[in-house]
């Protein structure tokens, strides 16, 4: 297994140089700040790998802690209440101390506080007479929708409900970007906001007063690995120079540029760097054809390597399962269970698993864990169909083959596998189609591919960008499903 | 490898197969019950009996597809052992009811698969192929086709070619004609009789059809419930039954008397 993991890593990743790796979370503001981090790093003359996006706080934090990335932007409130939730931090000194325990340092606050808030459409708030969070208690029938992270976080909904004694039962978790659309359409009455969200103005939302001071401060900072102080001292100095440079208004404006005007995050960040920090770094825009080609390459790499590995492992497993019935049931059960694990969970679990297997830190995010997850996902259809195809060989043919006096190997290759080939090929095709779809989630752990366009498109509410990822993925699946006719032979 | 009991005066095998107190059980059912039977070499022996009497199991024992729970099976003077089984099987031709041809291979490849595995050169394979086509009376141009493109009778001829390809000492046939319609069947019976007579091989044939057994077999072995009831010629079964079961079995199969009458002429 260890050797296999290593093989996947070697196959998946280009030779590794110690490029600086900047991460971000998946929402607009984090992406813009991440790009700003990239620009600052480039400004120091460092070679910087493309920014990696993560689908959640703990993913980004773990990537930083394990050394898969070198820095990413986060918020003091998030660090204290979510990441280091068990450590009851009261002061800035205690925070520095606690981060140091993990080999992590923080810059001074960048200048703005992006706290959580609760918002309603202005007219709805007016109609119900709601101005403060505590007013919500009078309206138990309100439909609430919160970002998935907010639903579970220590500083999120559970604490808010308790602090204000909120009675609402119709509360659902959903993607933050989708929440704005649901609010606008009236499907939801109130959602959580980030106070620097550009949508607050855009959708004319009323931000409720946090009258019991529930939400802490969420000052934006960059978290970075402590060793940068020795390996890249200029970078640390430059990051520290950002302290206090980004005002709340400036951040809202940047969010609006990126989110509402659909200007790429890299461009927004470079405009800010040029005008406010006098930092001029060229960012290059890719054409549609270049983007498609790049994502297709990334996507095919994920699918083909994982599929190839799945075929190499699953066919022998299927043969083994057909030979030894008892062991076969165990093999089928294990591969079956692997497939019932939700694909996102499987992807995320791969990161600590790879670390456990001793993979170097640069392989912990990106294509390696995605390929490993897709490989595990692809096993079942091939194992099952190989097993079934061999089991379905009629008894008289089995006897005839056995009585010929061939070696076991010759019998397998010349007779049994060809007879089972229709079934095996169908299994491979199923695996390929499943993996093409599942690989789009790989973008959540930085694997790129079509999923990158879909995720960024969802973040930006940019349907064209979503389609830029979704259409090629669907097309690829259709090509495999209908284009690759498995050679079904007609024996009748 | 041969023992005194299986060797004739000229040093040749007297018995192609010997079952000694052989028993096979499938769960609670006993398919073969302590059977004692020797199948003579160089002749055709027909195993007959009602369904489930154990005749097919006996055949499968002889080619190592079935293990004996008790007792001993010797084939061509050798005990069936897993490490030498493949080699022994090269001396045995085995034909099953529907021919057992592999649908993904042409008839030609079906026939020559073991020879190719053993590394015969193509010249030798081609020569043997035409020889066998002539023997089983199959037009040579049919041999390149897929098994599915041939008639049932033709497929059985191909199955026989495959069984004979390595010129085995022993031929085992499990209901080879049962799935064929009567016209084809009669024709193939005639051809089989000639082929057996020409090759002078040891043949063990399983059939539930007494007429066919009487026509093709030099000797008949009638089985019931995993044991041999009587062995002898068709005439002996009719005229000197050793058990009421023999009488009822032979009288239930009307066509068999005609074979007897025909043979008497």
């Amino acid at each position: 297994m260890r050797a296999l993991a290593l093989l996947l890593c070697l196959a998946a990743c280009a030779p590794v140089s110690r490029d600086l790796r900047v991460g971000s979370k998946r929402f607009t503001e984090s992406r813009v700040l991440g790009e700003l981090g990239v620009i600052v790093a480039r400004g120091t003359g460092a070679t910087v790998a493309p920014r990696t996006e993560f689908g959640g706080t703990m993913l980004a934090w773990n990537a930083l802690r394990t050394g898969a990335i070198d820095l990413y932007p986060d918020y003091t409130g998030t660090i204290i209440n979510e990441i280091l939730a068990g450590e009851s931090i009261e002061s800035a000194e205690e925070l520095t101390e606690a981060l140091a325990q993990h080999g992590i340092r923080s810059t001074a606050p960048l200048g703005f506080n992006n706290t959580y808030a609760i918002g309603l459409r202005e007219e709805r708030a007016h109609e119900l007479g709601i101005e403060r969070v505590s007013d919500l208690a009078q309206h138990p029938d309100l439909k609430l929708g919160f970002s998935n992270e907010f639903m579970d976080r220590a500083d999120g909904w559970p604490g808010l409900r308790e602090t204000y004694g909120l009675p609402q039962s119709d509360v659902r978790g959903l993607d933050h970007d989708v929440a704005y659309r649901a609010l606008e359409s009236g499907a939801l009455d109130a959602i959580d906001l980030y106070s620097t969200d550009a949508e607050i103005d855009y959708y004319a939302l009323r931000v409720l007063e946090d009258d019991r001071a529930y939400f802490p401060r969420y000052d934006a900072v960059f978290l970075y690995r402590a060793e940068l102080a020795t390996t890249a001292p200029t970078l640390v100095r430059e990051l520290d120079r950002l302290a206090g440079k980004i005002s709340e208004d400036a951040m809202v404006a940047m969010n609006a540029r990126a989110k509402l005007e659909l200007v790429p995050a890299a461009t927004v960040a470079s405009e800010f760097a040029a005008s406010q920090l006098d930092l001029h770094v060229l960012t290059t825009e890719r054409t549609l054809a270049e983007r498609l080609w790049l994502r297709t390459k990334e996507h095919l790499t994920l699918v083909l390597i994982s599929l190839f590995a799945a075929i190499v492992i699953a066919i022998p497993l299927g043969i083994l399962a057909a030979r030894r019935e008892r062991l076969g049931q165990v093999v089928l059960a294990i591969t079956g269970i692997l497939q019932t694990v939700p694909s996102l969970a499987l992807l995320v679990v791969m990161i600590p698993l790879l670390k456990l297997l001793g993979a170097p830190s640069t392989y912990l995010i990106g294509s390696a864990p995605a390929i490993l997850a897709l490989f595990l996902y692809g096993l079942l259809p091939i194992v099952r169909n190989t097993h079934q195809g061999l089991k379905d060989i009629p008894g008289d043919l089995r006897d005839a083959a056995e009585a010929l006096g061939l070696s076991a190997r010759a019998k397998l290759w010349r007779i049994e596998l060809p007879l089972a080939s229709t079934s095996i090929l169908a299994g491979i095709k199923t695996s390929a189609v499943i993996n093409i779809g599942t690989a789009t989630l790989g973008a959540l752990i930085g694997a790129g591919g079509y999923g990158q366009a879909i995720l960024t498109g969802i973040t930006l509410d940019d349907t064209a960008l979503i389609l830029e990822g979704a259409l090629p993925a669907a097309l690829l699946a259709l090509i495999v499903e209908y284009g690759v006719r498995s050679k079904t032979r007609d024996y009748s | 490898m041969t023992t005194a009991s299986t060797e004739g005066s000229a040093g040749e095998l007297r018995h192609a197969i010997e079952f000694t107190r052989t028993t096979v059980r499938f769960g609670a059912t006993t398919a073969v019950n302590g059977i004692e039977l020797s199948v003579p070499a160089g002749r055709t022996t027909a195993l007959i009996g009602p369904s489930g009497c154990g005749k097919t199991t006996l055949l499968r024992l002889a080619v190592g597809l079935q293990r004996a729970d008790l007792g001993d099976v010797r084939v061509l003077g050798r005990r069936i052992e897993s490490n030498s089984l493949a080699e022994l099987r090269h001396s045995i031709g085995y034909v099953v009811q529907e021919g057992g041809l592999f649908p993904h291979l042409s008839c030609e490849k079906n026939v020559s698969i073991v020879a190719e595995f053993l590394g015969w050169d193509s010249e030798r394979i081609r020569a043997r192929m035409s020889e066998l086509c002539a023997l089983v009376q199959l037009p040579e141009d049919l041999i390149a086709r897929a098994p599915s493109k041939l008639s049932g009778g033709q497929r059985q001829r191909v199955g026989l070619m495959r069984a004979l390809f390595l010129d085995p000492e022993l031929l085992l046939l499990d209901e080879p004609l049962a799935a064929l319609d009567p016209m084809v069947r009669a024709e193939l019976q005639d051809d089989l009789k000639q082929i057996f007579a020409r090759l002078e091989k040891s043949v063990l044939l399983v059939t539930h059809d007494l007429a066919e057994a009487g026509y093709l077999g030099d000797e008949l072995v009638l089985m019931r419930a995993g044991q041999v009831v009587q062995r002898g010629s068709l005439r002996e079964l009719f005229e000197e039954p050793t058990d009421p079961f023999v009488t009822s079995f032979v009288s239930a199969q009307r066509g068999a008397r005609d074979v007897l009458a025909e043979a008497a002429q």
Side-chain angles (χ1 to χ4, degrees), chain A residues 61 64-65 83-84 87 97-104 225-226:
Chain A
W61 166 254
L64 181 67
R65 219 165 37 90
I83 296 176
L84 306 173
E87 311 191 10
E97 178 71 17
L99 285 173
Q101 299 278 316
H102 295 277
I104 306 297
R225 294 180 59 77

Side-chain angles (χ1 to χ4, degrees), chain A residues 243-301:
Chain A
K245 286 277 171 32
I246 309 175
S247 69
E248 206 151 316
D249 287 344
M251 195 65 239
V252 172
M254 282 196 277
N255 285 339
R257 277 284 274 157
K259 187 83 188 252
L260 306 176
E261 297 168 32
L262 302 181
V263 176
T267 310
V268 174
S270 74
E271 285 168 0
F272 179 84
S275 65
Q276 304 297 314
L277 308 174
D278 201 24
L279 199 58
H280 301 272
V281 176
L282 280 181
T283 58
T284 46
E285 290 289 307
R286 291 198 178 90
T287 64
L288 174 64
E290 282 172 342
R291 293 197 300 270
L292 277 177
W293 172 234
L294 182 73
R295 292 189 203 120
T296 304
K297 268 196 309 190
E298 288 171 342
H299 208 86
L300 284 178
T301 306

Side-chain angles (χ1 to χ4, degrees), chain A residues 395-407 410 414-416 418-419 489-492, chain B residues 60 63 65 86 89-90 94 96 98 100-105 109 113-114 116-117 148-149 162:
Chain A
D396 61 330
L397 291 187
R398 208 186 293 273
D399 282 354
E402 179 66 31
L404 286 174
L406 296 172
S407 66
R414 305 277 328 256
I415 299 172
E416 292 171 331
L419 286 175
R489 296 181 217 206
D490 187 9
Y491 295 140
S492 56
Chain B
R60 290 168 55 85
V63 69
L65 290 173
R89 280 168 173 164
H90 296 157
Y94 179 61
V96 297
E98 311 258 9
L101 299 180
F102 306 120
H104 66 290
L105 297 175
K109 291 287 173 193
I113 184 166
V114 185
E116 274 179 27
F117 169 68
S148 58
K149 304 288 180 234
R162 183 171 71 189

Side-chain angles (χ1 to χ4, degrees), chain B residues 15 36 49 60 64 85 92 94 145 165 204 221 247:
Chain B
H15 298 304
E36 296 272 356
R60 290 168 55 85
L85 190 53
I92 303 172
Y94 179 61
R145 298 192 185 172
F165 205 84
L204 183 59
V221 176
T247 313

Side-chain angles (χ1 to χ4, degrees), chain B residues 106-139:
Chain B
S106 67
C107 291
E108 201 168 6
K109 291 287 173 193
N110 261 288
V111 170
S112 62
I113 184 166
V114 185
E116 274 179 27
F117 169 68
L118 293 175
W120 287 28
D121 63 51
S122 54
E123 197 53 48
R124 188 174 169 202
I125 289 176
R126 214 173 4 251
R128 180 65 177 154
M129 195 77 70
S130 352
E131 200 179 358
L132 285 173
C133 279
L135 179 72
V136 306
Q137 302 189 28
L138 185 79

